[in-house]
Amino acid sequence: MSGAERLRGAFPGDRTALIPYLTAGYPTLEGAARVGEAFLAAGGDVLEIGIPFSDPLADGPTVQDTTTRAIENGADLRYCLDLATRFSDRVPVVFLLYYNTIFARGAERFLDEAAGAGVSGLVIPDLPVDEAADFARMCEMRGVGFCPLIAPTSSDGRVEEAVALATGFVYCVSVAGVTGVREGLPPKAVELLRRVRAKAGVPVALGFGIGSPEDAAEAAAEADGVIIGSKLMRLVGEVGAEGAGEWLRGVREAVGAVEKAGGVDQKLA
Amino acid sequence: MRQKVDNREGYFGAFGGRFVPETLIHALEELEEAYERYRNDPEFNEELDRLARDFVGRPTPLMLAERLTRKWGGANVWFKREDLAHTGAHKINNALGQMLLAERMGKTRIIAETGAGQHGVATATVAALYGRECVVYMGEEDTRRQAPNVLRMKLLGTEVVPVTTGSGTLKAALNEAIRDWVTNVEDTHYIIGTVAGPAPYPRLVRDLQSVIGRELEAQSRERFGGDPDAIVACVGGGSNAIGAFHPFVGREGVRLVGVEAAGRGLDTGEHGASLTGGRPGILHGNLSYVLQNDEGQIREAHSISAGLDYPSVGPEHAYLKDEGLVEYVGATDDEALDAFVLCSRLEGIIPALETSHAIHYAEKVARELGPGKNLVINLSGRGDKDIGVVAEALGMDAREAGEDPS
């Protein structure tokens, strides 16, 4: 089974997958592994690992602070790949990273290394579909899932382009903005999820701004997966890995109680 | 990896593109459509030309720098006087044009980033002219280095947001401006200050700055009966250089020289010379030459001039470099300081520290060309904003009368 297939299979169909995010190298190189363990123990279905970049322009202050710390801690790409290896035999691991990290390594070499570390998918916030065609094909050849982002401002035409390139899942951005916790789920998020799920042959996950079990449950009614990042990174800083894991367990319960609208259309699975 | 990108829309050869979060794509498409619609619109151009004349003071003069010419003993040295444009630099050419587009797109809030503060002041100025809300992001370190420009922006009614992330310079200010735009994209237009950023900005800003080159072309014919033999301009992001070079690119007999900030020296690693000291990479929405480490982490640039303190450069410059159409060279902090004093003393013009890099290197070019030839320095801005930094570097003190720094 390819990484991409395995990633798609981690969305169970009848319930919503939980996708916690952690910044590799935060709060420390070893501490990040403990964060990952706590997230798995709390019921994470997919682990999203952020590769620190000096200029993360899609990220709000919370995640920026963690990536700055991680770079100071010495979280280089080798370390990030090793971190992925520690989890990828248990859950699908997805990298969230900026395109210059891939470009600097060389796309082919990067993909070989990522596949070697068992990475199942890639989310690249600064690689919109117009620039992604060649790279997405390279991902497909190596069985690494390409996970394009879709925003509330995306036209129907762009949704179609993104869906056509997606081999992992489609990452819906809940709001126009950067990552970070917000009050409640914006109404446009639900509309966007419905718009994308009507077209997508792969699972559709929602991220950006989900900060409470209630938000997650609301999203779970419409999404195949829920991605939680800033809130968890804030909790890791405030109460540590176990505290963040405890909170995530509450989200797991809230999401588990929700009956999801529609099933995943596993055309590609 | 080498992408197959030649001749694609939004690219200059292999460089350029649109590497931004999906949320912004719609706004970039909207901007591109608006630009295509209005660039040849008579009413738009009438308004732009009228304000360029009455508000900005265009055309800016072409002046023979007689004492510099004599001192260097080479080609005739001419200054294209962008320092005389309203607000004291070429930046207003772009800010004004984009403001007119923002009005036509119905965007009521304006944001910008700034390094030296010249683009921030230019944007604050046009926002005041049109009565629009304006927010300018500026690195905290730069607000200190360029305090007079912060006060100017505030007086014009603009909110200046000091950015504390990273080195607190232009790179961090750009990140913050992009984050603001992603968040407020519906009612906000981002007036980017240079020929960088995602498509269509590099082309849009180039076209708006090309007024410099078009005027220069006509003035050269009138003053010395033909094209200049060389044009020298400083390059940070590269908007004044592209503006001056654009009509002359590929024209036989016109040597084009872009001068980057070599900071404390290219071999020290502390510089802002992306083209001569960097390699291709992606930053702030486009593929160009970037200062970065092996893993693609962006390095902090260094220059004594805030406007050149940037670890990348506009993608068209990357293309012009690789095609050999423009020579790119460097001048150090110290060399720029010397040129700053020289120009002030010999020509009675205090140039911007950015511009001083070009003045330094122009001496070499003028000598190589020899007497009877014509060299134009794009005098991109005035240096009043820099007197604090220069005084500190030279150990001048206003309270000690009669001190001579040279």
Side-chain angles (χ1 to χ4, degrees):
Chain A
M1 192 178 2
S2 76
E5 286 167 329
R6 189 174 160 222
L7 175 57
R8 294 196 299 269
F11 293 78
D14 56 340
R15 69 177 174 86
T16 299
L18 193 57
I19 309 174
Y21 162 95
L22 65 87
T23 299
Y26 177 80
T28 60
L29 296 185
E30 197 43 45
R34 282 197 294 278
V35 172
E37 292 298 342
F39 290 176
L40 258 57
D45 296 294
V46 174
L47 186 62
E48 186 183 36
I49 296 181
I51 313 302
F53 179 54
S54 53
D55 295 76
L57 50 77
D59 284 304
T62 307
V63 173
Q64 277 179 57
D65 287 347
T66 65
T67 56
T68 304
R69 277 276 294 280
I71 291 170
E72 287 163 8
N73 291 341
D76 58 12
L77 190 53
R78 186 71 259 156
Y79 160 82
C80 296
L81 291 162
D82 288 343
L83 186 68
T85 311
R86 292 166 77 156
F87 299 101
S88 58
D89 55 345
R90 287 175 281 164
V91 287
V93 169
V94 169
F95 272 176
L96 182 139
L97 75 176
Y98 289 83
Y99 193 55
N100 202 45
T101 304
I102 297 170
F103 189 83
R105 198 70 154 191
E108 301 206 356
R109 180 177 165 201
F110 172 85
L111 282 169
D112 288 342
E113 289 176 331
V119 172
S120 298
L122 300 174
V123 178
I124 311 164
D126 62 347
L127 192 69
V129 290
D130 331 53
E131 304 289 352
D134 289 352
F135 184 70
R137 258 194 300 279
M138 294 168 74
C139 288
E140 199 169 2
M141 278 160 59
R142 284 164 182 78
V144 176
F146 184 74
C147 308
L149 292 97
I150 283 291
T153 54
S154 304
S155 64
D156 286 340
R158 294 189 64 82
V159 171
E160 273 162 31
E161 280 180 65
V163 160
L165 289 182
T167 50
F169 60 86
V170 177
Y171 189 133
C172 284
V173 174
S174 67
V175 288
V178 293
T179 59
V181 176
R182 291 168 184 83
E183 283 293 314
L185 205 64
K188 277 192 175 171
V190 172
E191 184 196 313
L192 178 66
L193 280 168
R194 290 184 181 158
R195 204 148 65 86
V196 177
R197 281 183 86 205
K199 294 192 162 77
V202 297
V204 178
L206 186 75
F208 281 39
I210 294 169
S212 69
E214 293 74 31
D215 291 351
E218 209 184 322
E222 302 286 344
D224 300 312
V226 176
I227 302 158
I228 305 176
S230 297
K231 175 71 179 182
L232 285 170
M233 287 299 94
R234 188 190 292 174
L235 285 169
V236 167
E238 286 170 1
V239 296
E242 284 67 33
E246 196 53 44
W247 181 86
L248 188 62
R249 212 181 302 274
V251 176
R252 168 82 282 164
E253 280 161 23
V255 167
V258 175
E259 194 163 330
K260 195 175 66 177
V264 194
D265 184 356
Q266 295 278 6
K267 273 176 249 169
L268 290 174
Chain B
M1 136 185 181
R2 192 84 187 169
Q3 293 190 318
K4 282 176 283 173
V5 286
D6 291 70
N7 304 319
R8 272 176 58 191
E9 210 180 312
Y11 275 84
F12 305 91
F15 300 100
R18 199 174 263 180
F19 297 86
V20 291
E22 173 67 22
T23 305
L24 291 181
I25 296 290
H26 178 68
L28 293 169
E29 286 175 345
E30 210 176 44
L31 177 62
E32 186 146 40
E33 276 166 31
Y35 181 53
E36 289 307 322
R37 178 165 161 207
Y38 291 110
R39 55 185 301 193
N40 296 318
D41 177 68
E43 183 263 347
F44 176 85
N45 285 306
E46 188 280 325
E47 187 174 342
L48 185 58
D49 292 347
R50 176 173 55 78
L51 288 167
R53 185 188 66 222
D54 300 346
F55 187 65
V56 178
R58 303 208 72 90
T60 59
L62 182 66
M63 165 195 155
L64 180 63
E66 288 185 47
R67 294 183 69 204
L68 264 185
T69 300
R70 241 178 291 144
K71 181 171 172 62
W72 290 344
N76 298 320
V77 178
W78 299 83
F79 287 165
K80 176 63 176 158
R81 298 289 308 276
E82 290 301 297
D83 61 311
L84 291 178
H86 181 42
T87 69
H90 70 290
K91 293 291 187 188
I92 191 86
N93 302 328
N94 167 48
L96 183 63
Q98 287 203 45
M99 186 69 222
L100 265 60
L101 281 176
E103 287 294 297
R104 280 158 180 80
M105 289 189 291
K107 306 275 182 178
T108 54
R109 180 174 175 271
I110 299 296
I111 59 168
E113 87 296 337
T114 197
Q118 292 302 108
H119 174 58
V121 168
T123 304
T125 299
V126 297
L129 181 68
Y130 281 84
R132 295 301 182 193
E133 181 191 348
C134 181
V135 177
V136 171
Y137 291 90
M138 188 170 187
E140 195 178 42
E141 162 74 12
D142 289 339
T143 61
R144 193 186 61 77
R145 286 196 281 190
Q146 309 286 345
N149 274 343
V150 176
L151 296 175
R152 291 167 81 191
M153 287 185 267
K154 286 185 172 174
L155 277 168
L156 290 159
T158 280
E159 182 192 345
V160 180
V161 180
V163 178
T164 53
T165 51
S167 62
T169 59
L170 183 54
K171 171 173 88 109
L174 251 146
N175 287 337
E176 277 317 301
I178 292 172
R179 289 182 185 119
D180 178 313
W181 199 30
V182 173
T183 308
N184 302 295
V185 66
E186 272 184 21
D187 69 343
T188 298
H189 176 62
Y190 175 22
I191 301 189
I192 200 165
T194 191
V195 285
Y201 280 109
R203 184 169 59 92
L204 166 64
V205 177
R206 176 199 69 196
D207 289 353
L208 290 168
Q209 291 294 3
S210 295
V211 65
I212 303 170
R214 288 196 305 273
E215 287 177 8
L216 177 58
E217 191 176 25
Q219 289 165 327
S220 298
R221 285 203 184 121
E222 188 191 315
R223 301 295 291 278
F224 46 82
D227 288 340
D229 298 291
I231 305 171
V232 183
C234 64
V235 176
S239 70
N240 93 79
I242 284 278
F245 295 166
H246 185 59
F248 301 98
V249 168
R251 199 177 287 182
E252 202 159 322
V254 186
R255 188 173 160 192
L256 304 176
V257 183
V259 187
E260 294 191 295
R264 299 194 173 98
L266 282 183
D267 49 351
T268 65
E270 293 179 56
H271 57 77
S274 319
L275 289 165
T276 42
R279 62 192 165 84
I282 291 130
L283 179 67
H284 296 145
N286 69 89
L287 172 56
S288 183
Y289 278 76
V290 177
L291 299 179
Q292 56 186 320
N293 73 11
D294 288 346
E295 296 221 320
Q297 303 288 1
I298 310 303
R299 282 175 26 207
E300 298 296 348
H302 163 82
S303 171
I304 191 168
S305 69
L308 305 185
D309 199 346
Y310 182 59
S312 185
V313 62
E316 190 168 3
H317 283 292
Y319 166 76
L320 294 172
K321 174 194 161 76
D322 280 11
E323 293 293 311
L325 292 165
V326 176
E327 298 165 50
Y328 293 93
V329 297
T332 65
D333 289 350
D334 289 343
E335 288 168 341
L337 275 169
D338 288 347
F340 183 97
V341 174
L342 183 73
C343 182
S344 302
R345 299 268 165 110
L346 285 187
E347 295 295 342
I349 295 169
I350 299 178
L353 269 174
E354 291 78 9
T355 314
S356 302
H357 288 73
I359 298 171
H360 166 79
Y361 198 85
E363 178 176 358
K364 185 172 182 299
V365 180
R367 292 210 162 122
E368 285 168 6
L369 288 172
K373 303 283 188 178
N374 292 292
L375 174 149
V376 176
I377 299 172
N378 193 28
L379 209 86
S380 53
R382 57 191 289 167
D384 305 55
K385 68 189 175 59
D386 294 315
I387 53 175
V389 172
V390 171
E392 199 182 312
L394 298 179
M396 285 170 84
D397 190 332
R399 287 164 302 185
E400 292 171 38
E403 191 178 340
D404 188 331
S406 59

